[in-house]
Amino acid sequence: MKYTSTRGNSPTLTSLEAVLEGLASDGGLFMPLDLDFKSFDVSGIFDLNFQGISERILSFFFDDFPDMKRLVENAYKDSFTACDITPVQAVDDRYVLELFYGPTLAFKDVALQILPYLMSEARQVTGDAKEILILTATSGDTGKAALEGFKDVPGIRICVFFPYGGVSPIQQLQMTTQRGENVRSCAVFGNFDDTQTGVKTIFESASEECAAKGTILSSANSINVGRLVPQVVYYFKAYGDLLKAGVIQEGDPVNFTVPTGNFGDILAGFFAKCMGLPVKKLICASNTNNILTDFLTTGVYDKNRPFYKTLSPSMDILVSSNLERLLYLLSGHDAAYISELMTKLNTAGCYEVTPEILKALQETFSCGFADDTATKKTIRQVFETEHYLMDPHTAVAWRVSKEFSASGDEDAALPNIVLSTASPYKFPKAIAESLDIPVSEDEFELMEAIQQVSGVPIPKNLAELKSLPVRFTDVIKKEDMADYVRAMVE
Ligand SMILES: *Cc1c(COP(=O)(O)O)cnc(C)c1O
């Protein structure tokens, strides 16, 4: 199986090469060429555990990795505190898919615990002796998950850029105290979109120069297909869990609501649907940065709008990279068309899809958004009535999921699974405000207070941050990101 760019202007590669390179040389994203998603064999898959499902799905997309079973086993051996990796909890009248039991307490661990194994393997199998430098832009959670996944992996270095003041203090500490010899984090003046654009620009402008010096630049963001595919797994796993619990019979349709930023998580849900998982609606939940709500309603994607900092910072994004992959699929792999849309986005900041594509989008995707007031109210309500504590991103999704059920949509009554993407302890200030806990500037005091009120234990990996030394203090201008990387390569 070969991989090709959504923009059609770079060489086709094997999956090993696509995972290694991360981003296509024409600025597009890698997608499997000629892969019939429907040919995926779902028989017996719901009887498998997380690792078993993982092996089946990863081997389907990455067929030239010789021993996927070993990679999966190593990645998930003892990195998660939940024995089945991504458990499902019944809460009120819906199901919460808890994705935050990895080392950094956010869903990104699911993919970033295995991506380093995939990359190391790809490096060995292709015999590429060059050193890899992973560049990652983060809105808060990817950065830490990537640092943790890649720490001390031989032959690979990693540098994470995060928006200065744009992540929660706990998220920042997680990144600036990271251990490991091959890691670094750096703050950038600007917002997430500035840092993401900065990284993409470095790929376009400096890749060749770095390669000449023996370093391959690559990405751990969900623009890397190796980040995306491992996320398909938990959609199957959750469906299997509902089957085992007798909530559904095999073949029954279900809805998933996904708190969305860069559109990677929800796109993995779409892959699952294309592969035969009975997914009816994928509900795209946004915060006040509701560009996707507008897009899925009107077909117009317009980033010329104010950028808001919200209580759900990992969704404070105006350019959702993975939408490009969805449009590529829905346009019948029309790379010229995608190229045209992305050029418009870069120049005018805006594009509109054809009525046919809008119709295809709306067949699967529903949408909605919740502002900070609604988010806090939701955290409080669900805690008071269900004694379940959710983080702000999950609360956005919960709220939008409830609104969908009340909307009178013909699919409203189907079982609803809400993706829970982070531990509430990553956002102690937002939780304290929601629960009327007196707000202190010291986030560790807040964690203690939340633990007292909720009875939910503070995760060990967050508690220990308090005593770790800060190792990285750089803050740079976005214009200086390329030089910063050049200096690392020298
Ligand atoms: C990254 C993130 C999201 C958004 O996921 P995308 O794949 O970027 O859409 C939602 N919630 C949390 C907690 C995250 O870290």
Side-chain angles (χ1 to χ4, degrees):
M1 190 203 305
K2 291 285 184 185
Y3 277 74
T4 185
S5 165
T6 47
R7 301 190 194 172
N9 267 321
S10 66
T12 58
L13 302 178
T14 65
S15 65
L16 291 159
E17 294 163 331
V19 167
L20 268 187
E21 294 203 359
L23 187 68
S25 54
D26 58 0
L29 308 182
F30 287 117
M31 283 290 279
L33 181 71
D34 300 329
L35 174 65
D36 180 9
F37 283 62
K38 281 200 260 351
S39 70
F40 182 69
D41 176 16
V42 294
S43 64
I45 196 163
F46 302 119
D47 302 329
L48 302 174
N49 66 4
F50 182 94
Q51 285 85 340
I53 300 173
S54 226
E55 192 192 329
R56 285 265 281 270
I57 291 177
L58 268 71
S59 312
F60 179 67
F61 283 96
F62 302 144
D63 60 352
D64 46 7
F65 282 71
D67 190 0
M68 196 56 88
K69 187 179 173 68
R70 173 176 51 86
L71 303 185
V72 166
E73 273 172 8
N74 286 336
Y76 298 111
K77 199 168 43 204
D78 41 31
S79 47
F80 282 70
T81 55
C83 59
D84 62 346
I85 315 292
T86 60
V88 174
Q89 281 266 358
V91 179
D92 189 4
D93 58 350
R94 49 211 66 211
Y95 302 91
V96 178
L97 171 52
E98 298 183 329
L99 302 172
F100 51 78
Y101 291 106
T104 78
L105 295 310
F107 87 92
K108 274 135 184 147
D109 287 323
V110 177
L112 281 165
Q113 281 299 308
I114 189 156
L115 183 63
Y117 287 95
L118 295 174
M119 279 197 172
S120 292
E121 181 85 345
R123 200 163 162 264
Q124 269 169 27
V125 176
T126 58
D128 199 326
K130 290 198 184 70
E131 174 164 282
I132 298 173
L133 174 59
I134 310 268
L135 300 180
T136 290
T138 183
S139 56
D141 292 324
T142 295
K144 175 63 182 180
L147 289 165
E148 194 59 35
F150 283 101
K151 98 177 155 216
D152 296 328
V153 174
I156 304 184
R157 285 194 295 162
I158 172 163
C159 176
V160 165
F161 294 102
F162 64 89
Y164 186 62
V167 301
S168 86
I170 291 291
Q171 288 176 316
Q172 176 166 333
L173 260 187
Q174 281 188 300
M175 292 185 273
T176 56
T177 58
Q178 175 66 44
R179 285 167 280 206
E181 288 310 308
N182 60 339
V183 303
R184 181 187 297 202
S185 67
C186 173
V188 178
F189 291 111
N191 60 33
F192 171 71
D193 291 313
D194 295 324
T195 51
Q196 172 156 272
T197 306
V199 167
K200 281 191 188 170
T201 310
I202 297 171
F203 279 120
E204 281 162 44
S205 65
S207 286
E208 275 179 34
E209 184 188 329
C210 293
K213 293 187 175 130
T215 299
I216 303 180
L217 300 183
S218 190
S219 167
N221 282 100
S222 53
I223 51 180
N224 190 324
V225 69
R227 247 297 290 284
L228 198 57
V229 168
Q231 296 179 175
V232 176
V233 176
Y234 45 74
Y235 287 89
F236 279 88
K237 163 78 168 46
Y239 191 90
D241 284 354
L242 293 198
L243 276 177
K244 281 177 205 137
V247 175
I248 50 174
Q249 304 290 313
E250 196 157 342
D252 287 351
V254 299
N255 301 324
F256 287 92
T257 307
V258 188
T260 296
N262 225 355
F263 213 79
D265 204 6
I266 196 166
L267 183 70
F270 187 69
F271 277 26
K273 176 171 175 149
C274 296
M275 291 157 72
L277 189 71
V279 177
K280 188 70 199 215
K281 284 277 158 64
L282 289 164
I283 301 157
C284 175
S286 303
N287 61 29
T288 308
N289 295 298
N290 57 0
I291 186 165
L292 289 167
T293 317
D294 290 347
F295 173 65
L296 292 168
T297 312
T298 65
V300 177
Y301 195 91
D302 186 357
K303 70 165 181 168
N304 302 306
R305 58 172 70 214
F307 177 90
Y308 299 101
K309 277 193 194 177
T310 73
L311 294 178
S312 40
S314 301
M315 293 150 71
D316 290 346
I317 292 179
L318 293 181
V319 182
S320 297
S321 301
N322 277 292
L323 196 54
E324 180 168 345
R325 287 193 164 106
L326 178 62
L327 298 176
Y328 176 80
L329 286 173
L330 295 182
S331 67
H333 305 184
D334 188 345
Y337 175 66
I338 299 304
S339 222
E340 184 191 315
L341 294 184
M342 294 306 135
T343 303
K344 282 187 188 157
L345 184 65
N346 282 335
T347 51
C350 178
Y351 63 77
E352 178 168 12
V353 296
T354 63
E356 296 73 43
I357 291 186
L358 180 59
K359 187 161 169 280
L361 279 168
Q362 290 175 340
E363 262 163 38
T364 298
F365 291 88
S366 185
C367 58
F369 74 99
D371 65 15
D372 279 353
T373 310
T375 304
K376 284 195 270 190
K377 206 170 145 196
T378 302
I379 292 172
R380 186 190 182 101
Q381 263 173 5
V382 177
F383 181 69
E384 280 177 353
T385 57
E386 308 297 326
H387 211 76
Y388 185 82
L389 188 62
M390 47 180 54
D391 99 291
H393 304 76
T394 310
V396 166
W398 180 273
R399 174 88 174 193
V400 169
S401 173
K402 280 280 194 181
E403 277 171 6
F404 179 74
S405 295
S407 69
D409 188 286
E410 59 182 0
D411 300 317
L414 299 177
N416 284 296
I417 301 164
V418 175
L419 273 64
S420 177
T421 46
S423 156
Y425 283 106
K426 288 195 97 165
F427 308 95
K429 190 155 169 277
I431 301 296
E433 284 175 12
S434 309
L435 301 185
D436 280 344
I437 293 170
V439 172
S440 131
E441 280 310 306
D442 182 341
E443 297 227 321
F444 295 99
E445 268 174 31
L446 282 179
M447 286 194 204
E448 296 284 345
I450 294 166
Q451 177 169 258
Q452 285 224 320
V453 170
S454 69
V456 179
I458 303 173
K460 177 178 128 293
N461 288 1
L462 293 184
E464 73 167 22
L465 285 178
K466 197 175 173 174
S467 54
L468 292 181
V470 170
R471 298 181 62 204
F472 308 109
T473 53
D474 290 348
V475 188
I476 64 172
K477 294 206 232 58
K478 59 186 175 189
E479 298 78 26
D480 296 336
M481 288 170 67
D483 284 341
Y484 192 84
V485 169
R486 284 194 186 96
M488 285 185 71
V489 171
E490 286 302 333

